[in-house]
Amino acid sequence: MELSSNLTLEIFNQPFLLEKRIDLLIAVKRTGSISKAAKEVPMSYKAAWEAIESMNNLSTTPIVQRETGGVGGGGTTLTPYGENLIATFEILRNEQKKFLKNLSQITDINTGTLKTIRRLSMQISARNQISGTVELIEYGKINAEVFIKLKSGYTLVSVITKTAVNNLNLKLGDEVVAIFKSSTVLITTDISLNISARNKFQGTIDSVNQDEINTELIIDIGNSDKIASVITTGSFDRLKMKKGTQVSAIIKASDVIIGK
C-alpha cells in the first residue's frame, strides 16, 4: 500500500502554493494566457483569476503580470520570482515523494505500526554535511568510488561498499549528502602539497573558534560550500593561520559516508 499527500505552502495561515495553483502557473508560462491555462488545468476562468490574485496579494513580490498592447495584443507572463517558485515547489514536491515512499516502506498497514520510524528524524553529529550530485560511480570487487559534484565546483570522492550503493539505489544525477566528521579533516597551508588523500579542497579560513586545546576552523571553498575542521590549538599556532588565510582541506575518501 502506498501513501500519498498533497503539498500546500501557507503564508499568514493562508493557502499560498497548492499543487493545482502550481499547475496553473506552469500552464500560464506555457500559453501566455490565463483563459487557456485555466482550460488546461482545468478550472474556471474565474477560479484561475482568483487563484492568481490571491497568490499575488499574499506574495511580497508579484508572481504573474499582465502585459497589454504590442503586436500580439499583450498577454500574461510569469515574473522571474514566479518561475523560481515553480522550480522551488518542484524540488519540495520531489522531496515529499521520497519521504512518503520511505514512509510506505517502513509502515506495516496490517498491524498499524511503523518500523524504525526514528530513522526519518535522526540527527547526525558530524559537522560536515555537504550536498552534491552523483556524477560517476566506479565499481571494484567489494567497494565503489562515488564521485559527487559540489556546488563549489569541486568533486568529492567517497569510498563505500557496493552493498551500500545498492541499498541507497545510487544513480548518476542523484542528489546526495556527503557526511564526514570535522576531526577527519586535515589542514595545510601548503596548497601545492601532493598527498595520497583523494579529496583536497583549496579555500579560505572563514572563521576561527578555539580554546586551550582545540581549534575549530570553517573553510570556505566557494559558492556557499564550507568545511569544518577541528585541529589542536598547537597545530593552529604552529601553522600561523588566521581568518582569511588560504589553506587546503584534506579528507580521505574512506572517511566520507553518503546520505540520500
Side-chain angles (χ1 to χ4, degrees), residues 37-218:
K39 291 178 181 178
E40 284 193 11
V41 172
M43 63 172 64
S44 68
Y45 176 81
K46 180 175 182 295
W49 178 253
E50 289 177 348
I52 289 173
E53 283 291 290
S54 177
M55 286 186 285
N56 274 343
N57 289 336
L58 287 171
S59 175
T60 57
T61 303
I63 298 172
V64 177
Q65 59 187 5
R66 300 291 298 273
E67 297 179 350
T68 58
V71 177
T76 304
T77 61
L78 298 187
T79 64
Y81 178 70
E83 294 191 9
N84 182 65
L85 280 181
I86 292 176
T88 302
F89 191 88
E90 285 302 317
I91 293 173
L92 292 174
R93 183 152 52 183
N94 288 334
E95 290 302 314
Q96 183 197 36
K97 289 178 180 178
K98 291 179 184 178
F99 173 80
L100 291 174
K101 181 178 179 180
N102 290 336
L103 193 60
S104 297
Q105 292 173 347
I106 65 171
T107 302
D108 189 338
I109 300 297
N110 294 327
T111 61
T113 59
L114 295 178
K115 300 170 288 186
T116 61
I117 185 62
R118 191 171 180 273
R119 293 180 184 176
L120 295 176
S121 59
M122 184 179 295
Q123 300 295 313
I124 299 175
S125 62
R127 288 295 309 279
N128 295 295
Q129 301 179 39
I130 304 179
S131 60
T133 303
V134 177
E135 63 175 0
L136 177 66
I137 303 175
E138 292 186 343
Y139 293 94
K141 290 184 178 180
I142 298 175
N143 293 329
E145 293 184 343
V146 181
F147 295 73
I148 303 168
K149 191 73 170 182
L150 307 180
K151 296 191 300 293
S152 59
Y154 282 109
T155 295
L156 183 147
V157 182
S158 172
V159 174
I160 59 177
T161 65
K162 291 169 62 178
T163 300
V165 171
N166 293 331
N167 288 342
L168 289 170
N169 191 27
L170 284 183
K171 302 183 296 296
L172 299 186
D174 279 352
E175 293 184 4
V176 296
V177 178
I179 304 167
F180 49 97
K181 297 171 62 176
S182 56
S183 58
T184 65
V185 181
L186 303 179
I187 300 296
T188 178
T189 54
D190 183 359
I191 59 177
S192 63
L193 179 67
N194 289 322
I195 193 167
S196 61
R198 298 295 302 275
N199 300 300
K200 180 183 175 185
F201 308 119
Q202 294 182 14
T204 304
I205 296 179
D206 185 65
S207 64
V208 179
N209 182 27
Q210 65 181 166
D211 57 26
E212 295 81 4
I213 300 175
N214 293 315
T215 296
E216 179 189 63
L217 307 176
I218 305 299

Side-chain angles (χ1 to χ4, degrees), residues 15-31:
F16 175 50
L17 293 181
L18 301 86
E19 296 198 0
K20 199 161 189 177
R21 286 184 178 180
I22 288 294
D23 292 340
L24 176 64
L25 293 179
I26 293 173
V28 167
K29 178 181 178 180
R30 182 170 56 252
T31 64

